[in-house]
Amino acid sequence: MTKRRAPRALAVLTAALLVAAAGCSAPGDSAPAGARLGGGHGAQSSTAPTGSGPARGFTLVASGDVLPHPSVIQRARTDAGGEGYDFRPMFAGVQPVVSAADLALCHMETVYGDEDGPFSGYPAFVSPPQIADALKATGYEGCSTASNHSLDDGADGLRRTLDRFDTVGLGHSGTARTAAEAARPPVYRAGSAKVAHLAYTFDTNGYPLPDGRPWAVNLTDEKKIVADARAARKAGADVVLVSLHWGTEWQTEPDDRQLTLGRSLTASRTDGRPDIDLILGTHAHIPQAYEKVNGTWIVYGMGDQVAGTMFNHSGAFDPRGNYSSLGRFRFEPPATPGARWQVTKAEFVPQWYDLDAGRVVNLPAALAEDPNDQAYRTAQDAITEAVLGRGAAKDGLTEGR
């Protein structure tokens, strides 16, 4: 894999985008690297002007829901020696994969509280802000933040979360503190590409958008998603990524809404060029399939990268709630200017959050060391079956490590 060249946030391209801007139901343990288009809060300037030097491809890594139940928070407390919270050891097993990518994106499902709490789990999550520090240390450049839990602590929780992201230097997409921020999704430099990241959620668990702030959380609307993607492209993005918090919890097969919306979004084109280059799904708690639709990869659901003990809708402990996949995609520049950047390699890396150890496990790497570990083998087989369930292998998806 290509060693990362640290992405640089872009401080350009405001006008075109501004014109266009307009349950985790069953948890079981209840006992900037990125800048806004145009240079919002925390923006940095690119160190290399657009078009300088030869075009270079990049590797993208994306992972699923970070959902800190009380046991996860307690583990971080223990790892910090009882003083504060240290989530870094939790992610150490996947740090080599994440940090080796040119651009790495996560999904932060919950909002943050104050430094010392109080914190809470299901149904209204408020998590330690130190999680952001761990995500940054692991090698992530940014996260999607639009989820059904985005308003669990109202506008204050949303603000605290994005403030912490800015403090540690993480980009964020899908929630916003101001209308101007909402109008400028993050754009990252990866290889020689400018990569825009958009994010949306199907719902906010019935919590209304804050008064006078309809832009606070991006809600899923096909016309808006397409308009935002076209605006990002018009403003200069070479690659447009869309994160969608969608799907039916505990259902391996993508639901009708996912299939219908996925087909429509990947079919959307401007002057023959797709408006969206990759769709990254979260929310279902369990791994779902990857599929190439209309020539574009869709990850319907990556599963929970971090979560406590999970119980499904029947009330039974379900180990799948701690299974996930990490997607890795290699993008190469087009042969002709203005054409589409092509995904030349697509991989998934099976992951498991080990409840006993409180660690994210890179399963292929772990099995290489201990091929006889039956728990690892069972998890990897289940993840692989889900990921390949819609025939992605025929389009070249392979297992990575």
Side-chain angles (χ1 to χ4, degrees):
M1 169 175 290
T2 305
K3 180 63 179 175
R4 165 182 293 136
R5 299 179 182 88
R8 301 295 181 191
L10 304 181
V12 292
L13 315 171
T14 305
L17 196 60
L18 287 177
V19 169
C24 303
S25 59
D29 61 315
S30 56
R36 314 291 148 231
L37 278 167
H41 182 74
Q44 304 173 21
S45 298
S46 173
T47 56
T50 301
S52 64
R56 304 186 311 279
F58 68 94
T59 299
L60 167 76
V61 155
S63 53
D65 308 52
V66 176
L67 184 60
H69 292 105
S71 63
V72 174
I73 297 172
Q74 183 55 50
R75 169 61 63 177
R77 182 81 168 178
T78 300
D79 286 337
E83 295 291 332
Y85 301 88
D86 187 359
F87 292 87
R88 291 172 299 176
M90 204 169 284
F91 293 94
V94 293
Q95 192 271 342
V97 176
V98 172
S99 63
D102 297 291
L103 175 61
L105 300 173
C106 67
H107 174 64
M108 188 68 238
E109 180 153 5
T110 62
V111 294
Y112 297 159
D114 292 323
E115 190 88 11
D116 298 317
F119 307 120
S120 59
Y122 180 81
F125 288 85
V126 179
S127 305
Q130 292 88 340
I131 298 170
D133 304 59
L135 293 170
K136 180 66 175 180
T138 302
Y140 289 103
E141 274 78 42
C143 303
S144 55
T145 54
S147 83
N148 56 315
H149 291 289
S150 293
L151 294 176
D152 278 6
D153 202 30
D156 286 343
L158 188 154
R159 172 188 52 77
R160 286 191 298 263
T161 305
L162 302 189
D163 284 353
R164 186 64 166 222
F165 272 46
D166 286 347
T167 296
V168 303
L170 282 172
H172 44 83
S173 179
T175 58
R177 293 158 291 192
T178 67
E181 182 173 62
R184 300 191 300 267
V187 173
Y188 304 90
R189 172 75 75 176
S192 60
K194 297 183 285 290
V195 182
H197 184 209
L198 313 175
Y200 309 84
T201 179
F202 73 100
D203 193 21
T204 55
N205 284 353
Y207 291 111
L209 292 167
D211 287 344
R213 305 181 192 182
W215 34 259
V217 181
N218 277 344
L219 298 178
T220 302
D221 177 276
E222 181 181 340
K223 291 182 179 179
K224 175 175 170 54
I225 295 170
V226 170
D228 290 349
R230 288 175 174 170
R233 187 82 77 197
K234 185 176 181 181
D238 299 298
V239 174
V240 177
L241 312 175
V242 171
S243 289
L244 294 175
H245 202 66
W246 62 351
T248 301
E249 292 180 344
W250 301 107
Q251 181 174 306
T252 300
E253 183 69 16
D255 63 26
D256 288 343
R257 175 62 170 156
Q258 288 173 286
L259 295 173
T260 301
L261 182 58
R263 282 194 297 268
S264 295
L265 292 178
T266 55
S268 178
R269 282 167 165 70
T270 299
D271 297 329
R273 182 182 181 182
D275 295 317
I276 294 166
D277 295 295
L278 179 67
I279 294 175
L280 302 166
T282 56
H283 173 63
H285 292 313
I286 61 177
Q288 294 182 315
Y290 292 39
E291 186 176 23
K292 202 170 191 180
V293 181
N294 295 319
T296 296
W297 282 104
I298 300 175
V299 182
Y300 290 107
M302 290 177 281
D304 293 338
Q305 185 181 42
V306 170
T309 306
M310 298 292 289
F311 291 79
N312 61 30
H313 290 319
S314 68
F317 165 64
D318 197 326
R320 297 177 303 158
N322 299 113
Y323 296 169
S324 69
S325 72
L326 179 150
R328 186 162 60 198
F329 298 89
R330 180 68 188 177
F331 285 84
E332 295 294 348
T336 58
R340 183 184 201 181
W341 283 62
Q342 297 292 330
V343 173
T344 58
K345 188 174 186 180
E347 298 175 283
F348 71 100
V349 180
Q351 300 177 106
W352 177 44
Y353 182 75
D354 184 334
L355 290 167
D356 292 334
R359 300 290 185 263
V360 181
V361 178
N362 177 329
L363 287 168
L367 280 166
E369 295 183 6
D370 185 2
N372 297 317
D373 190 302
Q374 190 55 49
Y376 289 168
R377 179 66 61 190
T378 297
Q380 175 160 297
D381 288 349
I383 295 164
T384 300
E385 182 179 2
V387 166
L388 299 180
R390 293 185 65 85
K394 74 180 186 308
D395 286 316
L397 183 70
T398 59
E399 181 187 284
R401 58 171 287 186

